[in-house]
Amino acid sequence: MDNLIALLIAAPLLGAAVLLCGGRRLDKTGHWLGTLLAAVSFVIGLALFADMLGKGAEDRAMHQHLYTWIPVEGFQADIAFQLDQLSMTFVLLITGVGTLIHVYSIGYMEHDERRRRFFGYLNLFVAAMLLLVLADNYLLLYFGWEGVGLASYLLIGFWQHKPSAATAAKKAFLVNRVGDMGLSIAIMLMFTTFGTFAFGPVLASAGETSEGKLTAIGLMLLLAACGKSAQVPLQSWLGDAMEGPTPVSALIHAATMVTAGVYLIVRSADIFNAAPDAQLVVTIVGAVTLLFGAIVGCAKDDIKKALAGSTMSQIGYMILAAGLGPIGYVFAIMHLVTHGFFKAGLFLGAGSVMHGMNDEVDMRKYGGLRKYMPVTFVTFGLGYLAIIGFPGLSGFFSKDKIIEAAFAKGGTEGWILGAVTLLGAAITAYYMTRVMLMTFFGEKRWQDDADGNPPHPHESPRSMVIPMVLLAVGSVAAGAFFEFAGFVEWLEPVTGYAHGHPPISAATVTAATVAVMVIGVGLAYLQYGRRPVPVVAPRGSLLTRAARRDLLQDDFNHAVFVTGGTHLTRSLVYVDHTLVDGVVNGTAAGVGGLSGRLRKLQNGYVRSYAVSMFGGTAILIAATLLMRAV
């Protein structure tokens, strides 16, 4: 079965190659081919999963070595794959949810003349993410890492005729380059420290290396994770990425790009376990982003951008859990998988709403849609209940475990982290209830589109509805399945696990989580359920206005990096022109002037030379006579 690992990547990669190079002859069938090859990868994943279940917990890791990529003395890079419990979890998520998004895209992109190319990019995205999670060394992981970045650039800017989409794609690409520098530096540090970048030797030797080196490596890995997973301070690209087609948003937020940073940290668990300072910074970044994204999500009227703020916040939960070490690694991945179901369902539901509302994204122009789109309402509603942690649904089990682990950190730090996670749960319930009420409840606030066409909300076609229904099933059942099917025991051989001991009981934590959820829902209902929603957003408080502008993250970046960089460049140009050019040009002018004057002494006339010789002789005679007289 080990030989099948490469086929997981080969199937969607083949689809990308054929669809992008096959030409217009595939325009009528390309979407089916892309979907089929994504499904083939999922079936291969299921076969490998079944084989893995038949082995003992310590014998489940599989390896496949294809060939040596770079054979140089003292430096060897292999094209080799590693499939263990952690990577298998990602394989099933990527291929399973990815295939459903492919199916959804058949209907969503039906009238797009470039649909074949779109499916080629989707296949490329899936293949790159699979390479990232299946690589057995950091250098090959980096190759997949950059592939994900390329695919995201192509998909976010797919409608490049819109300036906003082209700008968003460039922004995502550039911000991620900053994080990618962190990963490249980390790999260099690994090679100079361990003499290799393969997972096995690096992670096995981490405990024997100086803490300072491991801290540096850990911080660079965290920088990389911040870029891909849109964590503070590299989070500014995520909201703008909503300019891409809605299936792209679902794929990025649920199964691929933003989950890569969480995978990188958990895969590098041994490094962070031996570098407590780096681990603490991971926790802080997760806690800050958790609240940052939640606050931004409260103020967005664009349905997709509200969900984007939600993703930022939920990934913050996962990063925080990963920063807790062995008491949190498993629950970071558990929440990642449950989030994959309900966030994909929410984005596809948002796309369904847009499909029936002439591509309108402003929730203030929705209202009362539950009567016209009943299936979308139910599936979106189940995703909503899952994300706010409604008891019994998937988010309840996974998020509750992270909150318990936060309290179990112990001491003042544990109380602070526990309070932050509870506050995040309350805000999540608030902004997601706001989305539900503004979209599906209340009076109709529909308006004609830019061409004067009134909206005619209706249920989406079957190819869009079926994936939404299946994802809704996962939103309901995934958490309970993981809780009772032994997900902790499944991942423990790879990530390690330590049972935390929170200062308060698990029942108390659960009660507190449910209580803050009810408070968040209640506040949103009082504001948006019992009052008419104005079509034009009121000015709002200072915090609301700041949240609408993403808490001024772009303003900060513009002031510090754009304006600051401009002033720095101008200063360097001034120094170059005045100091550097002054020295160079002054030296050249001095040499030129001196040579010009000396050149006059060599004019080629014999009479001039004779006069010079006579003058020199006269001076010498006069000097000699003067010296004798003295």
Side-chain angles (χ1 to χ4, degrees), residues 149-467:
L150 171 63
S152 68
Y153 169 78
L154 296 171
L155 285 167
I156 293 170
F158 183 75
W159 288 328
Q160 67 260 30
H161 60 276
K162 297 166 54 181
S164 57
T167 301
K170 289 186 287 186
K171 184 177 182 180
F173 191 82
L174 291 173
V175 173
N176 272 274
R177 296 291 70 73
V178 179
D180 295 351
M181 284 298 297
L183 182 54
S184 63
I185 293 172
I187 294 173
M188 296 176 199
L189 290 174
M190 287 176 193
F191 187 77
T192 58
T193 302
F194 304 105
T196 180
F197 33 71
F199 290 153
V202 169
L203 300 178
S205 303
E208 304 168 3
T209 308
S210 70
E211 186 176 318
K213 291 181 179 180
L214 292 176
T215 299
I217 294 172
L219 291 176
M220 289 299 100
L221 292 174
L222 173 60
L223 180 63
C226 286
K228 278 291 183 287
S229 295
Q231 300 293 284
V232 172
L234 300 179
Q235 79 287 1
S236 62
W237 66 269
L238 191 63
D240 291 350
M242 299 304 98
E243 291 293 338
T246 301
V248 176
S249 303
L251 194 60
I252 288 176
H253 288 248
T256 55
M257 191 163 177
V258 297
T259 65
V262 182
Y263 170 80
L264 181 64
I265 292 175
V266 175
R267 174 61 75 188
S268 308
D270 290 327
I271 293 175
F272 286 96
N273 291 340
D277 291 339
Q279 202 170 55
L280 176 62
V281 177
V282 172
T283 307
I284 293 172
V285 167
V288 171
T289 310
L290 186 165
L291 296 179
F292 189 104
I295 293 171
V296 168
C298 291
K300 294 295 185 180
D301 293 328
D302 183 318
I303 187 171
K304 289 173 66 178
K305 290 190 175 182
L307 295 177
S310 167
T311 297
M312 192 187 305
S313 178
Q314 297 304 308
I315 299 293
Y317 269 104
M318 302 170 206
I319 295 291
L320 184 152
L324 296 174
I327 64 174
Y329 290 134
V330 172
F331 303 126
I333 301 302
M334 182 177 178
H335 192 54
L336 184 149
V337 178
T338 60
H339 176 265
F341 284 108
F342 57 68
K343 185 52 61 69
L346 289 169
F347 266 110
L348 297 188
S352 180
V353 170
M354 293 166 56
H355 179 79
M357 293 293 289
N358 295 342
D359 290 327
E360 178 62 66
V361 295
D362 189 346
M363 294 184 293
R364 293 185 179 275
K365 299 176 183 178
Y366 291 164
L369 293 180
R370 70 185 187 280
K371 301 175 184 177
Y372 303 88
M373 310 179 72
V375 178
T376 300
F377 167 64
V378 172
T379 56
F380 193 98
L382 291 173
Y384 152 73
L385 293 174
I387 195 174
I388 69 172
F390 190 83
L393 275 70
S394 60
F396 169 78
F397 291 99
S398 57
K399 190 187 297 184
D400 193 69
K401 293 295 184 182
I402 292 177
I403 296 173
E404 286 183 29
F407 278 108
K409 182 67 175 177
T412 304
E413 183 181 343
W415 284 105
I416 293 174
L417 294 176
V420 167
T421 55
L422 284 175
L423 178 59
I427 302 175
T428 300
Y430 172 83
Y431 69 71
M432 286 305 305
T433 303
R434 175 179 180 267
V435 170
M436 281 295 296
L437 294 174
M438 292 178 70
T439 302
F440 295 103
F441 293 88
E443 298 298 324
K444 296 185 293 186
R445 303 180 298 277
W446 311 342
Q447 295 184 356
D448 295 351
D449 62 16
D451 298 325
N453 300 316
H456 297 287
H458 56 278
E459 196 55 82
S460 298
R462 199 178 312 173
S463 63
M464 296 171 63
V465 167
I466 292 175

Side-chain angles (χ1 to χ4, degrees), residues 371-596:
K371 301 175 184 177
Y372 303 88
M373 310 179 72
V375 178
T376 300
F377 167 64
V378 172
T379 56
F380 193 98
L382 291 173
Y384 152 73
L385 293 174
I387 195 174
I388 69 172
F390 190 83
L393 275 70
S394 60
F396 169 78
F397 291 99
S398 57
K399 190 187 297 184
D400 193 69
K401 293 295 184 182
I402 292 177
I403 296 173
E404 286 183 29
F407 278 108
K409 182 67 175 177
T412 304
E413 183 181 343
W415 284 105
I416 293 174
L417 294 176
V420 167
T421 55
L422 284 175
L423 178 59
I427 302 175
T428 300
Y430 172 83
Y431 69 71
M432 286 305 305
T433 303
R434 175 179 180 267
V435 170
M436 281 295 296
L437 294 174
M438 292 178 70
T439 302
F440 295 103
F441 293 88
E443 298 298 324
K444 296 185 293 186
R445 303 180 298 277
W446 311 342
Q447 295 184 356
D448 295 351
D449 62 16
D451 298 325
N453 300 316
H456 297 287
H458 56 278
E459 196 55 82
S460 298
R462 199 178 312 173
S463 63
M464 296 171 63
V465 167
I466 292 175
M468 292 159 53
V469 171
L470 293 176
L471 289 169
V473 173
S475 299
V476 173
F481 174 78
F482 291 149
E483 176 74 11
F484 299 109
F487 190 74
V488 171
E489 291 75 12
W490 164 258
L491 279 183
E492 184 178 359
V494 180
T495 63
Y497 175 67
H499 185 70
H501 300 284
I504 52 179
S505 67
T508 303
V509 172
T510 300
T513 304
V514 174
V516 298
M517 178 204 70
V518 172
I519 292 172
V521 171
L523 290 175
Y525 177 74
L526 290 175
Q527 188 171 357
Y528 295 95
R530 299 187 63 182
R531 305 175 187 174
V533 177
V535 175
V536 178
R539 189 164 183 266
S541 65
L542 180 62
L543 178 60
T544 299
R545 297 198 300 274
R548 287 173 184 157
R549 296 174 60 88
D550 300 324
L551 292 181
L552 309 181
Q553 54 184 322
D554 284 331
D555 301 81
F556 175 83
N557 290 340
H558 190 275
V560 174
F561 298 109
V562 178
T563 304
T566 300
H567 288 311
L568 176 61
T569 302
R570 289 174 179 172
S571 300
L572 293 175
V573 170
Y574 176 79
V575 170
D576 181 61
H577 285 173
T578 56
L579 181 61
V580 178
D581 286 355
V583 171
V584 173
N585 295 335
T587 302
V591 171
L594 179 61
S595 64

